[in-house]
Amino acid sequence: MSDHPPAPAPAVGLVPDPARLSDSLPGGGVGYVIDAETEIEAGPGTERVAQWLRATVGAATGYPLLPHKDNWNRILLRIIPSLAEELGGPEAYRFTADGCAVAIDGASEAGVFWGAQTFRQLLGPDAFRRAPVVRKEEWDVPAVTIHDAPRFAWRGLMLDVSRHFMPKDDVLRHLDLMAAHKLNVLHFHLTDDQGWRIEIKRYPRLTEVGAWRARTKYGHRASPLWDEKPHGGHYTQDDIREIVAYAAERHITVVPEIDIPGHSQAAIAAYPELGNTDVIDTTSLTVWDTWGISKNVLAPTDNTLRFYEGVLEEVLDLFPSTFVHIGGDECAKDQWKASPAVQARIKELGLADEDELQSWFVRHFDRWLTGRGRRLIGWDEILQGGLAPGAAVSSWRGYRGGIDAATAGHDVVMCPEQHVYLDYRQAAGDDEPMPIAYVRTLEDVYRFEPVPPSLAPEAAAHVLGTQANVWTEVMQDRSRVDYQVFPRLAAFAEVAWSRLPAPAERDFADFERRMTVHYARLDALGVDYRPPGGPLPWQRRPAPEGMTGSLGRPIEGAPPIV
């Protein structure tokens, strides 16, 4: 793409914006020059960062960036633990280019890595290419000193690969894009009504049956159109190990989501005994081919508990993340209310109603995960019927669930749909592809504030961070995901990393100026982002022949603050 003006000097285009940036030499200018003789002096614990620099900056420049021997011309990588207290946390870093060397110091290996990401940005957009565009004898590094640290420990992206499967290589690419924006949590939505995406060896039908649907609804669930081509796919356990390892090298934690007790039709289609067999012929169910909330939910039997314990045993072997997400959202209670077996179970357990039954589900797996040194996190519906002790909450229906959970002493990740659901449309124009819900512009995302001002300081301390969510019902391929995610993810990344003023006081004009550089980086990375001037001709999606209006679900007006 080329829908941006010429880039200004790299030093003014950093995204996210660092905490402090100053000239390291009088008058600024060039602070260091790297060339074919430049080496990397990797201090203890920074070897992986050095390897990443060779694979990225080395590839883009064509320089070998060999391990340092006795050459003065070097990039110096060091872990200095005291920077954590000095600058604000274990991911803090200090970058200096002052004529003597390029020095990247971090409070930890992660801090050094984030400093290396800043270094790559300072080299200019061509540093984001996979091979040299022009063979340069040297690359200039601006004379700057940067002191930086993130505001939040949890800076996340939720990627839904259940509704539309994303091949493994595309997931790895998203991890690179996350790292380039200093995001550090991939919430990996692996199971839902429309597909089961992770191999579970003791239950092979989960992928043999549950990973494929015969057709797919095109557009919003009210659309009359269908894509009649079968859709599906899954990740083998070795694929998952590769994704997790690739993420770890980029200091990204992968948090798996296995949905219970709702959003489970794909699992029930594969193993009908998991469903409410006394109210529906579960053997007739298939993987769901449309969108919305399926009424087919798990039966609260001991068999179901053992089944999902077996699933989670394999999941824990694959994901070292402290947190495991169990969904818990949008669990329709219709079948439970109609089922004599479920009503008997509610009575047997001494529960008041179906909400408490859902809470019983969640509490069971909270205890099960806690006993294995892990922590349960779920969508804010897990508050219904009583919040499980020790559970954390992803607050998606607005701020309220997060406020209630944090006030009660539970950790929270703020991801309110009204602000950071990136499937929401980016403009009101008729040429926007598949318009969903409220308009959420680049500026809207930039002015999102994760911590509600109403939270008392002790409650606000329970806000682990924030997350943007990418639901893929209307994103059938990589290009569509790119369009919805970028450039808004850059704005979100700055919200998650930088200590910004109150929303109304944020300098969006400055962010736009820095984005003129950043668009060129996204171009170099091959990202099909939405240009500032609107969708390009091949990104537009007019109504199909014979249809009037949109196949999306646009909602007019500003979203409510709830």
Side-chain angles (χ1 to χ4, degrees):
M1 297 181 189
S2 58
D3 195 273
H4 52 76
V12 300
L14 294 178
V15 177
D17 199 24
R20 282 187 287 153
L21 183 151
S22 58
D23 291 340
S24 57
L25 295 173
V30 176
Y32 203 74
V33 172
I34 68 168
D35 57 27
E37 304 301 316
T38 301
E39 298 173 346
I40 297 179
E41 182 176 349
T46 69
E47 295 84 1
R48 291 196 305 176
V49 181
Q51 182 180 3
W52 179 85
L53 281 169
R54 292 187 186 100
T56 54
V57 172
T61 59
Y63 302 155
L65 301 179
L66 296 172
H68 179 253
K69 292 184 179 178
D70 55 5
N71 189 351
W72 61 271
N73 180 0
R74 70 196 191 280
I75 300 166
L76 178 59
L77 308 178
R78 297 177 296 194
I79 294 176
I80 303 176
S82 61
L83 288 176
E85 183 174 354
E86 178 184 338
L87 299 180
E91 295 180 273
Y93 71 89
R94 177 178 62 208
F95 175 92
T96 307
D98 60 3
C100 298
V102 168
I104 306 174
D105 301 324
S108 64
E109 184 190 10
V112 178
F113 182 71
W114 303 130
Q117 292 286 354
T118 296
F119 170 56
R120 190 186 188 191
Q121 289 197 14
L122 290 169
L123 289 172
D126 283 348
F128 287 78
R129 297 190 179 275
R130 296 185 183 182
V133 177
V134 177
R135 291 282 178 177
K136 299 181 185 180
E137 292 187 6
E138 56 189 32
W139 289 57
D140 294 341
V141 184
V144 294
T145 296
I146 296 170
H147 298 83
D148 204 9
R151 178 185 179 189
F152 293 111
W154 185 302
R155 306 180 301 279
L157 175 71
M158 192 289 301
L159 191 58
D160 168 25
V161 295
S162 178
R163 273 51 178 272
H164 277 101
F165 178 67
M166 181 173 286
K168 180 195 68 177
D169 285 353
D170 287 349
V171 177
L172 300 180
R173 172 178 176 267
H174 269 276
L175 289 167
D176 281 329
L177 292 170
M178 289 177 64
H181 292 84
K182 298 185 173 73
L183 298 174
N184 68 345
V185 177
L186 174 65
H187 173 170
F188 208 17
H189 184 77
L190 289 163
T191 74
D192 215 296
D193 299 306
Q194 294 86 2
W196 185 284
R197 305 295 178 215
I198 178 173
E199 176 189 26
I200 301 297
K201 291 186 180 294
R202 74 187 70 183
Y203 303 127
R205 287 177 57 84
L206 285 172
T207 47
E208 291 171 0
V209 174
W212 292 91
R213 58 179 183 260
R215 62 176 186 169
T216 299
K217 175 66 72 173
Y218 182 87
H220 184 252
R221 59 182 175 271
S223 163
L225 300 184
W226 296 88
D227 180 349
E228 296 292 348
K229 183 175 65 176
H231 177 85
H234 75 276
Y235 309 104
T236 68
Q237 293 200 354
D238 281 346
D239 290 337
I240 294 293
R241 292 185 181 97
E242 180 182 357
I243 289 167
V244 169
Y246 195 85
E249 289 173 356
R250 287 147 185 80
H251 296 275
I252 296 171
T253 299
V254 184
V255 176
E257 179 177 349
I258 306 295
D259 265 302
I260 53 174
H263 286 293
S264 299
Q265 184 166 326
I268 298 169
Y271 291 91
E273 65 272 19
L274 297 173
N276 295 286
T277 57
D278 59 341
V279 294
I280 186 174
D281 178 12
T282 54
T283 63
S284 67
L285 292 178
T286 60
V287 177
W288 214 24
D289 55 14
T290 190
W291 317 124
I293 303 173
S294 171
K295 303 294 186 183
N296 296 299
V297 302
L298 297 175
T301 64
D302 290 341
N303 174 67
T304 299
L305 298 181
R306 301 292 88 76
F307 183 97
Y308 274 87
E309 287 171 359
V311 168
L312 289 171
E313 283 173 2
E314 296 191 26
V315 167
L316 296 191
D317 284 341
L318 296 169
F319 294 92
S321 165
T322 298
F323 285 99
V324 175
H325 207 291
I326 54 84
D329 62 316
E330 297 179 328
C331 179
K333 309 297 196 301
D334 306 61
Q335 292 182 0
W336 285 357
K337 291 177 180 177
S339 166
V342 172
Q343 293 303 310
R345 191 71 194 254
I346 290 174
K347 184 176 181 180
E348 171 196 339
L349 294 169
L351 304 175
D353 54 23
E354 291 77 20
D355 283 345
E356 284 198 7
L357 181 63
Q358 179 171 342
S359 180
W360 169 83
F361 250 108
V362 173
R363 287 172 182 270
H364 175 87
F365 287 102
D366 178 60
R367 291 190 298 269
W368 190 90
L369 288 166
T370 299
R372 288 154 181 80
R374 306 298 183 97
R375 290 187 64 189
L376 180 147
I377 184 168
W379 302 110
D380 55 56
E381 283 94 332
I382 68 173
L383 292 163
Q384 297 170 2
L387 184 60
V393 168
S394 300
S395 187
W396 77 274
R397 292 182 295 178
Y399 288 111
R400 174 49 53 193
I403 291 171
D404 291 346
T407 301
H410 295 274
D411 289 337
V412 174
V413 175
M414 286 292 189
C415 49
E417 61 172 324
Q418 300 86 353
H419 304 279
V420 288
Y421 268 36
L422 300 186
D423 50 320
Y424 281 22
R425 57 191 173 136
Q426 302 183 67
D430 292 336
D431 55 0
E432 288 295 319
M434 202 66 75
I436 297 294
Y438 300 101
V439 171
R440 294 286 82 192
T441 65
L442 182 67
E443 182 172 359
D444 290 331
V445 174
Y446 188 68
R447 297 192 188 281
F448 164 59
E449 172 50 48
V451 180
S454 63
L455 272 183
E458 61 272 19
H462 284 287
V463 178
L464 300 175
T466 184
Q467 177 174 290
N469 293 343
V470 182
W471 300 104
T472 60
E473 287 93 337
V474 298
M475 300 180 215
Q476 73 278 16
D477 56 33
R478 186 176 92 173
S479 180
R480 278 289 292 122
V481 174
D482 277 6
Y483 182 91
Q484 291 300 129
V485 171
F486 291 98
R488 292 183 295 181
L489 192 69
F492 172 79
E494 185 148 314
V495 168
W497 177 276
S498 306
R499 296 180 184 276
L500 299 176
E505 299 169 7
R506 294 177 187 174
D507 191 347
F508 181 68
D510 174 69
F511 177 74
E512 284 188 303
R513 284 191 292 271
R514 286 182 284 116
M515 281 300 296
T516 61
V517 183
H518 202 64
Y519 285 122
R521 297 183 190 119
L522 297 178
D523 286 336
L525 289 165
V527 177
D528 291 331
Y529 59 85
R530 182 189 188 277
L536 298 171
W538 57 87
Q539 294 174 321
R540 298 171 188 151
R541 186 176 298 185
E545 184 178 355
M547 296 292 296
T548 58
S550 167
L551 297 177
R553 182 180 60 95
I555 304 175
E556 303 305 328
I561 305 299
V562 295

